[in-house]
Amino acid sequence: MKTEKLPSAQTISRTPFPGSRKIYVQGALHNVQVPMREISLSATTDRFRNITEENRPVTVYDTSGPYTDPNVAINVRQGLPKLRNPWIEERGDTVRLNDISSAYGKSRLSNPALDYLRFEHSTSPRRAKDGANVSQMHYAKKGMITPEMEFIAVRENMRLEELYEKDNSLWQQHKGQNFGAHIYQGFITPEFVRSEIARGRAVLPNNINHPETEPMIIGRNFLVKINANIGNSAVTSSIEEEVEKMVWAIRWGADTVMDLSTGKNIHETREWIIRNSPVPIGTVPIYQALEKVNGKAEELTWELFKDTLIEQAEQGVDYFTIHAGVRLPYVPLTAKRTTGIVSRGGSIMAKWCLAHHQENFLYTHFEEICEIMKAYDVCFSLGDGLRPGSIADANDAAQFAELETLGELTQIAWKHDVQTMIEGPGHVPMHMIKENMDKQLRECGEAPFYTLGPLTTDIAPGYDHITSGIGAAMIGWFGTSMLCYVTPKEHLGLPNKKDVKDGVITYKIAAHAADLAKGHPGAQYRDNAMSKARFEFRWEDQFNLALDPDTAREYHDETLPAEGAKTAHFCSMCGPNFCSMKITQDVRQFAAEQGINPEEALDKGLHEKAKEFRQNNFELYS
Amino acid sequence: MKTEKLPSAQTISRTPFPGSRKIYVQGALHNVQVPMREISLSATTDRFRNITEENRPVTVYDTSGPYTDPNVAINVRQGLPKLRNPWIEERGDTVRLNDISSAYGKSRLSNPALDYLRFEHSTSPRRAKDGANVSQMHYAKKGMITPEMEFIAVRENMRLEELYEKDNSLWQQHKGQNFGAHIYQGFITPEFVRSEIARGRAVLPNNINHPETEPMIIGRNFLVKINANIGNSAVTSSIEEEVEKMVWAIRWGADTVMDLSTGKNIHETREWIIRNSPVPIGTVPIYQALEKVNGKAEELTWELFKDTLIEQAEQGVDYFTIHAGVRLPYVPLTAKRTTGIVSRGGSIMAKWCLAHHQENFLYTHFEEICEIMKAYDVCFSLGDGLRPGSIADANDAAQFAELETLGELTQIAWKHDVQTMIEGPGHVPMHMIKENMDKQLRECGEAPFYTLGPLTTDIAPGYDHITSGIGAAMIGWFGTSMLCYVTPKEHLGLPNKKDVKDGVITYKIAAHAADLAKGHPGAQYRDNAMSKARFEFRWEDQFNLALDPDTAREYHDETLPAEGAKTAHFCSMCGPNFCSMKITQDVRQFAAEQGINPEEALDKGLHEKAKEFRQNNFELYS
């Protein structure tokens, strides 16, 4: 029994990013300090004009939390500093409870056999004062701009505001196609954040019992976010591994993390993860509920589930996946499917419905769930329990019937000022993705869509981060707000650290490709900086600007390890004679040597001839 | 000098695929034997009804050639059997030359210092009889259905014709969106192949001096194909490695291979590759030409280039990348670009144009090039020398001006009955990909588009197989005929075997996702078979149906190595209690135990209730 490995300083990744420093940007309305990563760049040397020009540093969105700040002391047994406590207290609408409220939580706490693996420094939970609603949506509807909202405005702008210069070519970007999104042109304001949350078009998941979070937002009109799933299973893993997986996932860019543990000590594992997580944590409470009835779905009850919700809400879970849309009448619609029901939660509820021949208790008790959500500001992630698990089942009657119900439930949640997002598939071929996206926007009143992939083919197990990365990039472009990663182990096994990183990087690519396609303000800045560094052979800058600097450097050094190669005007791909970028620069030099500066050489020197050819309509064979 | 490592039986991958056998399907018109891979599946056991049902084997497209057929003896020093020789001879329009025609080829042949690395069993080359045109396009226009064309018809159908059963649910697939492609409904006929080649909408690259090829087709109305690039550079690699890279690339699914060698012994390396390659080989002749003038672009001449074309055509290169669209007047259009010219060939020609202040000699001598192409049936791959090398430069004036010229050149090539495809970018954000595709179709009269990616963001060096796999899947869906792979080493170094495999598998995914989205007949069959196996926990079948069976099995076994786990009704992802597929089956069993078969239970048992809910408009909260 006493085999559980606990986290320690040694097992947590803390290396700062190369060529980068952590900066904190101050807010104007509230005393918020927003962490970002500043990547410093080397100067550009113009070989023709013998001048060097500075390259301003690039500031990037940073989800890694205090772990990558060498100035912050981290003690995983203490947990992270409680950044949001003063903001929560200041609002004065919560009470600190003397004791936790859930029966199950109490029983775990009073069990001495668990002392050895219990997180020691948990504080007693907060709850809304009687009748109070502490959700950010409630504040937003009342016109309040909370510190959390301002934090987000500063964060989404990534200091581009300060760096903005009209004449800086790095600012040029393509006009995007956003399919009717209301992307704020210019820089995000706290008021815009408020209005989007009030409108229900964005969610700000942060439970009052998770004050360690650095606020972030999920909404169609903000940067596309990604989620990483972690969690042990009956078959494998430990608390130590799970906490490190969380730290590892946010290091590479996970905006939120879901703890999908279904194995031993779920309650304690979750506590360790939340206390050490600067990003919102999501869970699927039905998993733990099922453990409590030893896997017998038919023995689940509303009372047991309710106790589980309160247990987790008081630990600080920021969003709950609730499969309230898996309704009794929809189960028959899955009978002829190729892969039936592939959502764990969905299949559990379907089994319960059939066993009792009753309507899903999550649906019948939905308003009671809302009451719990708003007492802790837990955000709904309405689960797509009937999502397609194969290309064959994509966009079928079961999936869309459930989606319509999720739209109905969204209206109920909004009536209670409870923040709500909607989960999406699954397996969908490329040409059917937009139909799914458009239906979600229509049915759910633009509540944020949160999709798993979708996978665009079934035939590549071992590479489903890629089959799904394709669908994720597309659906992100079409309007999805958060992309749930898929790792190479999907359909095969539980992801290890390498799989987590591969999944996260793949999804950062998908999310960023979507931001570019939507024409999100400033999205192209980093691409432009990378391409400029590439054209100028600033190898170190290319590595440091990369989503994964370590791998970029490692691959380059694999064939050209010498330090000199870091300044070479070629790489091993083509060698010196065949480096097109080098030749292009030679072209310009060649011109320069003829006394004119390269651009004149190209512009003027050939301009006349160019005209002449155009006048001849480019005809040479006429 | 004598350090060159040569291929041997030991250095070539020959392991057959698990659970598979090589089959040869006989043609009806000509005596063609078309190789395919047949994957055998285990039976389905119905736990409820205690019956087992056979699962018919799945036949898949097989690019791996004789290497994966244990019954074929391979001797890399002899080269592959010359499958097409009788067909070529039968046409009687070629002559076997006594000696090779190119001056350079002769000089290499007569150099004893090269004996040790020379491929010994080269035969003297063929050429068209004076005035004859031996291109497949020429035959097609005359109404001939060649054995090559029939081979392709059989191959593209993947024996689905024989396996077709209306009532087989594996045949069900979604109606695709093909954006105006003329996809043949039903099964491909030899006459359809002919008509598409005659129309210029498809190419069949197979040089009469590369009779070892198993014919394949590249066209918008056929399965989307992929190309893998190999080749040494001044900095690295050997003949032995390059030949194995070719065999390795086709093993995983490369439909054609480009030899982009720019290092030592290019001529001899190419000979080894071609003689051992069952797939068409493409090259960029300007690379070798540049080597011949020691990397001094300005010293390139038409005569030297022409000799290089003949040298390579007589070795059997199946398609040439020719950068004839990089015209003098376009060079200025690249002056203000973020990354200038990023195509090696493009930058070489731009440099030549500037140095001589003359029009590109590939453009001015284009019709002479056509004369050479049709004498050996070499296919044009008109190079996009001005493709964008960064998101910033996507779809700009330089790129589109060149594309218009490539359209003009296509008409000239077609006038000579020379098969032609068009190369495309590059770096393009998602929302600009379709514009690029549509312009190519319009300007080039639907000549096959052959694109590199496109990469949808610049910021992920080390993962550009993924940034580009996203764009590749999309442009394949929109109408691109062949996708040139990008490996994880792009922008950083020369790919090793692992990179080649990662690139090929990623591109097989992109190509297949495109076939599904286009609604290509039978495309979904393998997905359906995979999903059925998945739902029925036939793990071995899942591995064997995967694009990469080895990795699928390895990932599964990483957490559950025991043989028993191969029949377990769960995997380590969720464990037994949480396997949704298991629960779904339990649901059906549960129903069955109540005396009714599961579908009735779901259909009938709940049907009335379902109706009732629908009548109430799903309202519970009204």
Side-chain angles (χ1 to χ4, degrees), chain B residues 255-281:
Chain B
D255 295 283
T256 75
V257 168
M258 288 194 81
D259 171 16
L260 304 184
S261 294
T262 58
K264 299 190 279 49
N265 308 320
I266 298 180
H267 179 87
E268 292 69 24
T269 303
R270 183 187 310 121
E271 186 72 18
W272 278 95
I273 292 170
I274 293 172
R275 298 284 73 84
N276 287 287
S277 171
V279 305
I281 297 297

mmCIF file of all heavy atoms in Angstrom, chain B residues 255-281:
data_model
loop_
_atom_site.group_PDB
_atom_site.id
_atom_site.type_symbol
_atom_site.label_atom_id
_atom_site.label_comp_id
_atom_site.label_asym_id
_atom_site.label_seq_id
_atom_site.Cartn_x
_atom_site.Cartn_y
_atom_site.Cartn_z
ATOM 1 N N ASP B 255 5.063 7.264 -52.832
ATOM 2 C CA ASP B 255 4.653 6.875 -54.181
ATOM 3 C C ASP B 255 5.715 7.211 -55.211
ATOM 4 O O ASP B 255 5.799 6.571 -56.254
ATOM 5 C CB ASP B 255 3.346 7.579 -54.544
ATOM 6 C CG ASP B 255 2.194 7.141 -53.663
ATOM 7 O OD1 ASP B 255 1.677 6.028 -53.891
ATOM 8 O OD2 ASP B 255 1.844 7.880 -52.716
ATOM 9 N N THR B 256 6.459 8.280 -54.938
ATOM 10 C CA THR B 256 7.626 8.591 -55.772
ATOM 11 C C THR B 256 8.728 9.054 -54.819
ATOM 12 O O THR B 256 8.467 9.402 -53.665
ATOM 13 C CB THR B 256 7.366 9.714 -56.809
ATOM 14 O OG1 THR B 256 7.334 10.985 -56.141
ATOM 15 C CG2 THR B 256 6.064 9.496 -57.557
ATOM 16 N N VAL B 257 9.957 9.045 -55.299
ATOM 17 C CA VAL B 257 11.094 9.488 -54.500
ATOM 18 C C VAL B 257 11.909 10.471 -55.331
ATOM 19 O O VAL B 257 12.144 10.232 -56.518
ATOM 20 C CB VAL B 257 11.978 8.289 -54.075
ATOM 21 C CG1 VAL B 257 13.301 8.761 -53.497
ATOM 22 C CG2 VAL B 257 11.231 7.415 -53.069
ATOM 23 N N MET B 258 12.278 11.586 -54.724
ATOM 24 C CA MET B 258 13.163 12.518 -55.423
ATOM 25 C C MET B 258 14.567 12.387 -54.856
ATOM 26 O O MET B 258 14.764 12.388 -53.644
ATOM 27 C CB MET B 258 12.670 13.958 -55.303
ATOM 28 C CG MET B 258 11.422 14.217 -56.122
ATOM 29 S SD MET B 258 11.051 15.996 -56.306
ATOM 30 C CE MET B 258 12.182 16.449 -57.641
ATOM 31 N N ASP B 259 15.537 12.240 -55.753
ATOM 32 C CA ASP B 259 16.937 12.197 -55.357
ATOM 33 C C ASP B 259 17.498 13.616 -55.492
ATOM 34 O O ASP B 259 17.734 14.095 -56.602
ATOM 35 C CB ASP B 259 17.721 11.228 -56.249
ATOM 36 C CG ASP B 259 19.222 11.317 -55.997
ATOM 37 O OD1 ASP B 259 19.627 11.879 -54.958
ATOM 38 O OD2 ASP B 259 19.983 10.829 -56.858
ATOM 39 N N LEU B 260 17.669 14.277 -54.372
ATOM 40 C CA LEU B 260 18.121 15.674 -54.384
ATOM 41 C C LEU B 260 19.598 15.780 -54.028
ATOM 42 O O LEU B 260 20.050 16.782 -53.470
ATOM 43 C CB LEU B 260 17.282 16.492 -53.397
ATOM 44 C CG LEU B 260 15.765 16.448 -53.623
ATOM 45 C CD1 LEU B 260 15.055 17.379 -52.646
ATOM 46 C CD2 LEU B 260 15.421 16.828 -55.069
ATOM 47 N N SER B 261 20.342 14.728 -54.361
ATOM 48 C CA SER B 261 21.757 14.733 -53.991
ATOM 49 C C SER B 261 22.480 15.960 -54.531
ATOM 50 O O SER B 261 22.258 16.380 -55.669
ATOM 51 C CB SER B 261 22.440 13.469 -54.514
ATOM 52 O OG SER B 261 21.923 12.333 -53.854
ATOM 53 N N THR B 262 23.313 16.532 -53.685
ATOM 54 C CA THR B 262 24.124 17.678 -54.107
ATOM 55 C C THR B 262 25.573 17.464 -53.664
ATOM 56 O O THR B 262 26.357 18.395 -53.656
ATOM 57 C CB THR B 262 23.604 18.971 -53.429
ATOM 58 O OG1 THR B 262 23.646 18.784 -52.013
ATOM 59 C CG2 THR B 262 22.190 19.281 -53.861
ATOM 60 N N GLY B 263 25.867 16.259 -53.246
ATOM 61 C CA GLY B 263 27.208 16.012 -52.711
ATOM 62 C C GLY B 263 28.110 15.327 -53.730
ATOM 63 O O GLY B 263 28.042 15.616 -54.924
ATOM 64 N N LYS B 264 28.906 14.398 -53.269
ATOM 65 C CA LYS B 264 29.850 13.684 -54.138
ATOM 66 C C LYS B 264 29.107 12.631 -54.952
ATOM 67 O O LYS B 264 28.088 12.114 -54.548
ATOM 68 C CB LYS B 264 30.915 12.952 -53.296
ATOM 69 C CG LYS B 264 31.761 13.845 -52.426
ATOM 70 C CD LYS B 264 32.934 13.070 -51.840
ATOM 71 C CE LYS B 264 32.618 12.231 -50.605
ATOM 72 N NZ LYS B 264 31.505 11.351 -50.569
ATOM 73 N N ASN B 265 29.675 12.295 -56.110
ATOM 74 C CA ASN B 265 29.232 11.137 -56.888
ATOM 75 C C ASN B 265 27.732 11.109 -57.148
ATOM 76 O O ASN B 265 27.096 10.059 -57.034
ATOM 77 C CB ASN B 265 29.642 9.847 -56.150
ATOM 78 C CG ASN B 265 31.120 9.872 -55.798
ATOM 79 O OD1 ASN B 265 31.953 10.318 -56.585
ATOM 80 N ND2 ASN B 265 31.439 9.446 -54.587
ATOM 81 N N ILE B 266 27.178 12.246 -57.488
ATOM 82 C CA ILE B 266 25.738 12.332 -57.748
ATOM 83 C C ILE B 266 25.312 11.352 -58.837
ATOM 84 O O ILE B 266 24.332 10.639 -58.712
ATOM 85 C CB ILE B 266 25.352 13.762 -58.191
ATOM 86 C CG1 ILE B 266 25.653 14.757 -57.083
ATOM 87 C CG2 ILE B 266 23.884 13.809 -58.555
ATOM 88 C CD1 ILE B 266 25.294 16.180 -57.459
ATOM 89 N N HIS B 267 26.117 11.299 -59.914
ATOM 90 C CA HIS B 267 25.777 10.455 -61.057
ATOM 91 C C HIS B 267 25.669 8.983 -60.649
ATOM 92 O O HIS B 267 24.675 8.320 -60.937
ATOM 93 C CB HIS B 267 26.849 10.618 -62.148
ATOM 94 C CG HIS B 267 26.624 9.772 -63.364
ATOM 95 N ND1 HIS B 267 25.849 10.198 -64.417
ATOM 96 C CD2 HIS B 267 27.045 8.521 -63.682
ATOM 97 C CE1 HIS B 267 25.826 9.253 -65.349
ATOM 98 N NE2 HIS B 267 26.539 8.215 -64.923
ATOM 99 N N GLU B 268 26.663 8.501 -59.930
ATOM 100 C CA GLU B 268 26.677 7.090 -59.542
ATOM 101 C C GLU B 268 25.617 6.796 -58.477
ATOM 102 O O GLU B 268 24.948 5.753 -58.509
ATOM 103 C CB GLU B 268 28.057 6.676 -59.044
ATOM 104 C CG GLU B 268 29.140 6.653 -60.142
ATOM 105 C CD GLU B 268 29.513 8.030 -60.674
ATOM 106 O OE1 GLU B 268 29.303 9.025 -59.926
ATOM 107 O OE2 GLU B 268 29.970 8.133 -61.820
ATOM 108 N N THR B 269 25.443 7.723 -57.548
ATOM 109 C CA THR B 269 24.409 7.542 -56.513
ATOM 110 C C THR B 269 23.053 7.355 -57.185
ATOM 111 O O THR B 269 22.298 6.440 -56.874
ATOM 112 C CB THR B 269 24.365 8.768 -55.586
ATOM 113 O OG1 THR B 269 25.658 8.970 -55.015
ATOM 114 C CG2 THR B 269 23.346 8.585 -54.478
ATOM 115 N N ARG B 270 22.772 8.199 -58.158
ATOM 116 C CA ARG B 270 21.485 8.154 -58.857
ATOM 117 C C ARG B 270 21.298 6.812 -59.554
ATOM 118 O O ARG B 270 20.221 6.210 -59.494
ATOM 119 C CB ARG B 270 21.412 9.285 -59.878
ATOM 120 C CG ARG B 270 20.089 9.389 -60.616
ATOM 121 C CD ARG B 270 20.171 10.426 -61.714
ATOM 122 N NE ARG B 270 20.706 11.667 -61.218
ATOM 123 C CZ ARG B 270 21.805 12.251 -61.676
ATOM 124 N NH1 ARG B 270 22.487 11.715 -62.681
ATOM 125 N NH2 ARG B 270 22.231 13.374 -61.154
ATOM 126 N N GLU B 271 22.364 6.317 -60.182
ATOM 127 C CA GLU B 271 22.262 5.035 -60.895
ATOM 128 C C GLU B 271 21.863 3.918 -59.921
ATOM 129 O O GLU B 271 20.949 3.139 -60.193
ATOM 130 C CB GLU B 271 23.600 4.705 -61.569
ATOM 131 C CG GLU B 271 23.578 3.467 -62.460
ATOM 132 C CD GLU B 271 22.801 3.669 -63.766
ATOM 133 O OE1 GLU B 271 22.575 4.838 -64.147
ATOM 134 O OE2 GLU B 271 22.392 2.658 -64.369
ATOM 135 N N TRP B 272 22.495 3.873 -58.784
ATOM 136 C CA TRP B 272 22.155 2.860 -57.770
ATOM 137 C C TRP B 272 20.706 2.978 -57.337
ATOM 138 O O TRP B 272 20.001 1.981 -57.191
ATOM 139 C CB TRP B 272 23.058 3.037 -56.547
ATOM 140 C CG TRP B 272 24.418 2.415 -56.678
ATOM 141 C CD1 TRP B 272 25.568 3.032 -57.074
ATOM 142 C CD2 TRP B 272 24.765 1.050 -56.393
ATOM 143 N NE1 TRP B 272 26.619 2.141 -57.044
ATOM 144 C CE2 TRP B 272 26.148 0.917 -56.632
ATOM 145 C CE3 TRP B 272 24.037 -0.061 -55.954
ATOM 146 C CZ2 TRP B 272 26.823 -0.282 -56.455
ATOM 147 C CZ3 TRP B 272 24.713 -1.264 -55.773
ATOM 148 C CH2 TRP B 272 26.097 -1.369 -56.029
ATOM 149 N N ILE B 273 20.252 4.209 -57.144
ATOM 150 C CA ILE B 273 18.878 4.419 -56.675
ATOM 151 C C ILE B 273 17.876 3.976 -57.738
ATOM 152 O O ILE B 273 16.966 3.187 -57.470
ATOM 153 C CB ILE B 273 18.652 5.897 -56.287
ATOM 154 C CG1 ILE B 273 19.471 6.258 -55.039
ATOM 155 C CG2 ILE B 273 17.177 6.177 -56.064
ATOM 156 C CD1 ILE B 273 19.502 7.743 -54.705
ATOM 157 N N ILE B 274 18.077 4.420 -58.971
ATOM 158 C CA ILE B 274 17.111 4.110 -60.031
ATOM 159 C C ILE B 274 17.026 2.612 -60.290
ATOM 160 O O ILE B 274 15.942 2.042 -60.355
ATOM 161 C CB ILE B 274 17.479 4.850 -61.339
ATOM 162 C CG1 ILE B 274 17.307 6.358 -61.161
ATOM 163 C CG2 ILE B 274 16.625 4.340 -62.500
ATOM 164 C CD1 ILE B 274 17.820 7.191 -62.322
ATOM 165 N N ARG B 275 18.167 1.979 -60.376
ATOM 166 C CA ARG B 275 18.164 0.535 -60.683
ATOM 167 C C ARG B 275 17.474 -0.290 -59.603
ATOM 168 O O ARG B 275 17.025 -1.402 -59.859
ATOM 169 C CB ARG B 275 19.594 0.025 -60.901
ATOM 170 C CG ARG B 275 20.343 0.662 -62.062
ATOM 171 C CD ARG B 275 19.892 0.142 -63.436
ATOM 172 N NE ARG B 275 18.593 0.627 -63.861
ATOM 173 C CZ ARG B 275 18.361 1.801 -64.464
ATOM 174 N NH1 ARG B 275 19.368 2.622 -64.698
ATOM 175 N NH2 ARG B 275 17.132 2.145 -64.826
ATOM 176 N N ASN B 276 17.382 0.254 -58.411
ATOM 177 C CA ASN B 276 16.758 -0.483 -57.312
ATOM 178 C C ASN B 276 15.400 0.075 -56.905
ATOM 179 O O ASN B 276 14.832 -0.342 -55.900
ATOM 180 C CB ASN B 276 17.698 -0.509 -56.106
ATOM 181 C CG ASN B 276 18.869 -1.454 -56.324
ATOM 182 O OD1 ASN B 276 18.702 -2.673 -56.298
ATOM 183 N ND2 ASN B 276 20.041 -0.891 -56.589
ATOM 184 N N SER B 277 14.880 1.015 -57.702
ATOM 185 C CA SER B 277 13.623 1.653 -57.312
ATOM 186 C C SER B 277 12.430 1.203 -58.140
ATOM 187 O O SER B 277 12.420 1.363 -59.361
ATOM 188 C CB SER B 277 13.734 3.171 -57.422
ATOM 189 O OG SER B 277 12.448 3.751 -57.229
ATOM 190 N N PRO B 278 11.373 0.680 -57.477
ATOM 191 C CA PRO B 278 10.132 0.325 -58.170
ATOM 192 C C PRO B 278 9.183 1.518 -58.314
ATOM 193 O O PRO B 278 8.135 1.401 -58.935
ATOM 194 C CB PRO B 278 9.508 -0.731 -57.260
ATOM 195 C CG PRO B 278 9.966 -0.352 -55.890
ATOM 196 C CD PRO B 278 11.335 0.277 -56.058
ATOM 197 N N VAL B 279 9.564 2.663 -57.749
ATOM 198 C CA VAL B 279 8.723 3.856 -57.887
ATOM 199 C C VAL B 279 9.455 4.879 -58.763
ATOM 200 O O VAL B 279 10.681 4.850 -58.870
ATOM 201 C CB VAL B 279 8.373 4.495 -56.518
ATOM 202 C CG1 VAL B 279 7.736 3.477 -55.584
ATOM 203 C CG2 VAL B 279 9.597 5.143 -55.880
ATOM 204 N N PRO B 280 8.684 5.794 -59.394
ATOM 205 C CA PRO B 280 9.316 6.828 -60.210
ATOM 206 C C PRO B 280 10.295 7.667 -59.385
ATOM 207 O O PRO B 280 10.051 7.936 -58.208
ATOM 208 C CB PRO B 280 8.136 7.678 -60.676
ATOM 209 C CG PRO B 280 6.953 6.776 -60.608
ATOM 210 C CD PRO B 280 7.211 5.886 -59.436
ATOM 211 N N ILE B 281 11.393 8.029 -60.033
ATOM 212 C CA ILE B 281 12.412 8.860 -59.391
ATOM 213 C C ILE B 281 12.415 10.237 -60.053
ATOM 214 O O ILE B 281 12.413 10.350 -61.276
ATOM 215 C CB ILE B 281 13.811 8.224 -59.536
ATOM 216 C CG1 ILE B 281 13.876 6.865 -58.817
ATOM 217 C CG2 ILE B 281 14.891 9.171 -59.002
ATOM 218 C CD1 ILE B 281 13.663 6.927 -57.309
#
